[in-house]
Amino acid sequence: DYTNEFVGMIGRLANKEWYTGRMSACTLIPVAFPKMMGRELRRVYLEYFGKLCKDDVPMVRRVASKNLGMLFYTVVETSTTSTSSSTASTMTTFFDEEMDYSSSLLDLYELLAGGDQPDSVRLHTTENCVYFGKAMTLLCDTIKKSPSSSSSSRKNSSSNHTSSRSGKRKLKEVP
């Protein structure tokens, strides 16, 4: 059974005393995430990854920063794939629940890209921007395909923007 064997092994690696096991877990969590069944299991493994991003050993943080973008994309892809053929209410559920995961991963990005990290850790965070861009494109495409957003976005497209003094358009806050 995949969940018991492979995913269980990743959990054990993430909690190993030796840093080499924790480094392996950083690489395996993004690969295994789409096949994990259940929100609770996914949440636990995202917490493991968050803990690995804050590890005391710089080598573990380096591997975590290298795989953070792939994990972010995988979280978004898995979430949008499961909601792509569903209704607007499921899309709302996606934004309520799944975006918490994504925002916490973005917080980890800020942590790993910070000035107090070694260069070997910060260097890998730049590669993550490609995955973040792909994930944002996937989210935008999913929103455009959503049945309720297509008609309401056309009605509100002109009312959601205001012009600033410099001539640039800024989004108004929507309640």
Side-chain angles (χ1 to χ4, degrees), residues 44-65:
V44 167
Y45 279 83
L46 287 173
E47 287 176 3
Y48 285 155
F49 194 84
K51 188 177 81 170
L52 293 168
C53 287
K54 299 172 186 174
D55 199 272
D56 293 335
V57 179
M59 290 174 282
V60 174
R61 291 194 313 267
R62 178 176 50 97
V63 175
S65 71

Side-chain angles (χ1 to χ4, degrees), residues 16-133:
K16 285 286 187 186
E17 184 176 337
W18 290 90
Y19 71 91
T20 53
R22 296 193 307 267
M23 289 171 60
S24 298
C26 291
T27 304
L28 293 173
I29 289 173
V31 173
F33 189 83
K35 295 181 183 177
M36 292 181 190
M37 297 297 163
R39 292 186 192 275
E40 184 62 27
L41 183 64
R42 289 180 175 174
R43 185 191 59 75
V44 167
Y45 279 83
L46 287 173
E47 287 176 3
Y48 285 155
F49 194 84
K51 188 177 81 170
L52 293 168
C53 287
K54 299 172 186 174
D55 199 272
D56 293 335
V57 179
M59 290 174 282
V60 174
R61 291 194 313 267
R62 178 176 50 97
V63 175
S65 71
K66 184 175 184 179
N67 290 289
L68 179 62
M70 186 183 350
L71 180 61
F72 181 78
Y73 180 77
T74 303
V75 168
V76 171
E77 180 183 43
T78 304
S79 301
T80 57
T81 302
S82 65
T83 61
S84 64
S85 62
S86 57
T87 64
S89 63
T90 308
M91 203 60 185
T92 304
T93 304
F94 166 75
F95 284 109
D96 290 343
E97 297 173 5
E98 303 295 333
M99 290 306 282
D100 288 337
Y101 297 151
S102 300
S103 65
S104 65
L105 290 173
L106 290 174
D107 291 341
L108 291 173
Y109 173 79
E110 289 179 12
L111 172 78
L112 294 171
D116 58 339
Q117 295 291 338
D119 288 342
S120 63
V121 173
R122 289 187 312 192
L123 177 68
H124 289 292
T125 58
T126 58
E127 299 168 5
N128 293 326
C129 295
V130 173
Y131 285 107
F132 292 164

